[in-house]
Amino acid sequence: MILVTGGAGFIGGNFVIDWLAQSVEPLINLDKLTYAGNLNTLKLLEGDARHHFVHGDISDRGLLGRLLAEHRPRAVINFAAESHVDRSIHGPDDFIQTNVVGTFNLLEAVRAYWQNLPADDKAAFRLLHVSTDEVYGTLAADDAPFAEIHAYAPNSPYSASKAASDHLVRAWHHTYGLPVLTTNCSNNYGPYHFPEKLIPLVILNALAGKPLPIYGDGQQIRDWLYVKDHCSAIRRVLEAGQLGETYNVGGWNEKANLEVVHTICALLDELQPRADGLSYAEQITFVQDRLGHDRRYAIDARKLERELGWKPTETFETGVRKTVEWYLGNSGWIANVTSGAYRDWVQQQYGV
Ligand code: NAD
Ligand code: DAU
């Protein structure tokens, strides 16, 4: 089996669902259930004995040690993180605690387990660390996209904490020989995305008749990847990646934020028009810019294609249509997230 951390979040949740749809191999899903973790995302898996959920923190080395000893996974995939840049600006503590200290504790627990595995299991074991393109900092309009050799230059508390975690993972490979793989992916979007991030926020605000907040001039560029394509890239790297290597994951979909928001408004105009006949674009509102806002991210994903044969299946146009349709068709999940009811359940169940 494999052990996944952060599998009740956006990407981890999609990964767990997709994994169990395409493999018979069971998985343990360790998640702290922060505000971003939501077991409703995993409702489809209720009654599936291959999905073993454990409520816990990657910083809890004792718990990790017990889980590893009991279940003896062949791989660990680390999604667990604080992931929202704006939150990291307002309160960086949790980012340092989970992304840096948590990754350190995970590495130490995994190292202790891996060191004592029988030779064949030891050789086959992998730790895959899921990271971000934000570690590379920002690009000017005419710069080449980030390749794996691009120097790290993180600009936000979030990206600095992710960069620190990547460095720890690299060092544990170089120093102790821990068999690690790292992926650095661009902006994801798709089902189960928490509505603090641009795309789900805009869809839900539009439908609720609220303003669609555009930071600064809206000309910042992000490189968008449909989350299911990210999940397939992770599976491919886990299967065939070279130990100690990093792989950039992206969809060659650079878009300015304002263009993304207009695309969503046009889709909503088509699929669920406003009662007054006006476009949802009427709700666009320019607001104060994010502090230290990175201007442009773009990923050069050629290494992953050349060496491991991975390519995304969705274009931005196909992926964003699927995403808008998913939000229109999943009012139960949305109501639960927006009302915060899922947090009440976590409090009741786990007392946190
Ligand atoms: P998310 O915020 O939606 O989910 C994070 C999950 O981790 C939640 O379920 C949360 O409960 C859990 N978690 C947080 N702290 C934990 C801890 N200490 N112990 C155990 N679980 C904990 O994040 P996401 O968008 O799904 O991102 C997943 C990973 O992918 C992160 O490492 C992020 O840096 C990386 N990433 C995200 C994107 C993106 O566009 N969202 C792009 C590239 C890389
Ligand atoms: O690049 C990968 C990263 O993408 C991941 O590592 C992060 O975990 C993920 O959150 C995401 O970071 P961004 O900051 O790029 O995503 P966000 O959705 O917060 O913002 C996307 C862009 O939209 C960014 O330029 C800020 C802008 N924005 C965002 C919000 C929430 C707005 O203009 N208005 C908004 O209300």
Side-chain angles (χ1 to χ4, degrees):
M1 63 158 61
I2 62 167
L3 189 154
V4 168
T5 71
F10 163 49
I11 305 173
N14 276 285
F15 181 85
V16 167
I17 291 167
D18 290 2
W19 180 270
L20 293 174
Q22 54 83 52
S23 159
V24 292
E25 193 174 12
L27 64 80
I28 313 156
N29 181 354
L30 173 68
D31 197 296
K32 187 179 176 183
L33 297 179
T34 67
Y35 78 94
N38 184 351
L39 288 178
N40 275 326
T41 297
L42 303 166
K43 243 188 162 47
L44 281 172
L45 303 176
E46 267 172 15
D48 187 332
R50 295 170 306 156
H51 179 233
H52 181 60
F53 182 79
V54 178
H55 180 231
D57 193 320
I58 56 165
S59 288
D60 185 344
R61 239 192 264 182
L63 172 64
L64 281 166
R66 288 193 296 281
L67 287 175
L68 291 165
E70 184 186 342
H71 298 285
R72 304 184 67 76
R74 69 171 177 95
V76 173
I77 305 176
N78 183 31
F79 292 94
E82 289 293 334
S83 70
H84 192 37
V85 174
D86 293 324
R87 284 182 191 255
S88 83
I89 295 166
H90 294 293
D93 299 57
D94 288 346
F95 289 74
I96 303 304
Q97 201 51 47
T98 284
N99 301 359
V100 186
V101 181
T103 304
F104 161 68
N105 281 309
L106 179 69
L107 283 165
E108 279 298 82
V110 170
R111 183 165 75 91
Y113 163 70
W114 166 78
Q115 263 173 348
N116 293 315
L117 284 173
D120 286 356
D121 293 348
K122 194 172 176 187
F125 183 81
R126 299 287 182 269
L127 169 68
L128 192 154
H129 177 62
V130 179
S131 193
T132 171
D133 60 356
E134 299 201 12
V135 297
Y136 297 120
T138 189
L139 291 169
D142 52 359
D143 285 344
F146 300 127
E148 287 79 358
I149 54 167
H150 200 96
Y152 274 33
N155 288 321
S156 72
Y158 163 69
S159 55
S161 68
K162 290 297 290 186
S165 70
D166 292 8
H167 290 322
L168 292 173
V169 170
R170 175 191 156 87
W172 260 239
H173 174 69
H174 189 82
T175 303
Y176 304 112
L178 194 68
V180 305
L181 300 155
T182 298
T183 53
N184 293 90
C185 189
S186 61
N187 284 62
N188 283 217
Y189 66 99
Y192 306 111
H193 205 179
F194 191 77
E196 64 186 352
K197 309 280 168 63
L198 180 70
I199 288 183
L201 180 95
V202 164
I203 297 171
L204 297 193
N205 276 17
L207 294 170
K210 293 182 181 168
L212 311 181
I214 307 283
Y215 297 165
D217 64 2
Q219 293 309 316
Q220 304 84 3
I221 290 172
R222 297 293 181 267
D223 187 353
W224 295 95
L225 183 69
Y226 191 62
V227 63
K228 304 285 180 190
D229 280 327
H230 187 189
C231 295
S232 76
I234 291 170
R235 293 197 300 273
R236 183 66 191 135
V237 172
L238 180 66
E239 184 180 35
Q242 293 294 306
L243 293 187
E245 288 291 312
T246 68
Y247 295 90
N248 284 358
V249 188
W252 305 99
N253 281 311
E254 284 187 61
K255 305 277 176 206
N257 293 338
L258 198 54
E259 185 187 348
V260 168
V261 174
H262 274 291
T263 302
I264 293 168
C265 290
L267 280 165
L268 287 172
D269 290 342
E270 173 197 328
L271 297 168
Q272 192 158 308
R274 267 174 43 158
D276 61 8
L278 294 175
S279 170
Y280 288 98
E282 297 287 323
Q283 291 164 234
I284 288 175
T285 309
F286 289 87
V287 300
Q288 196 182 349
D289 209 350
R290 173 185 278 174
L291 288 179
H293 200 169
D294 284 338
R295 195 69 182 166
R296 173 177 168 236
Y297 304 141
I299 275 285
D300 178 343
R302 282 177 298 180
K303 176 178 173 182
L304 188 50
E305 181 175 351
R306 191 176 59 243
E307 296 186 8
L308 304 185
W310 175 88
K311 268 194 203 174
T313 58
E314 302 290 346
T315 63
F316 184 69
E317 288 66 30
T318 59
V320 81
R321 179 176 282 276
K322 281 187 179 174
T323 303
V324 170
E325 284 170 349
W326 187 88
Y327 278 88
L328 289 175
N330 285 275
S331 50
W333 186 87
I334 289 158
N336 201 273
V337 160
T338 46
S339 71
Y342 75 106
R343 295 294 308 151
D344 300 342
W345 186 84
V346 172
Q347 166 71 32
Q348 189 187 317
Q349 176 80 359
Y350 300 108
V352 288

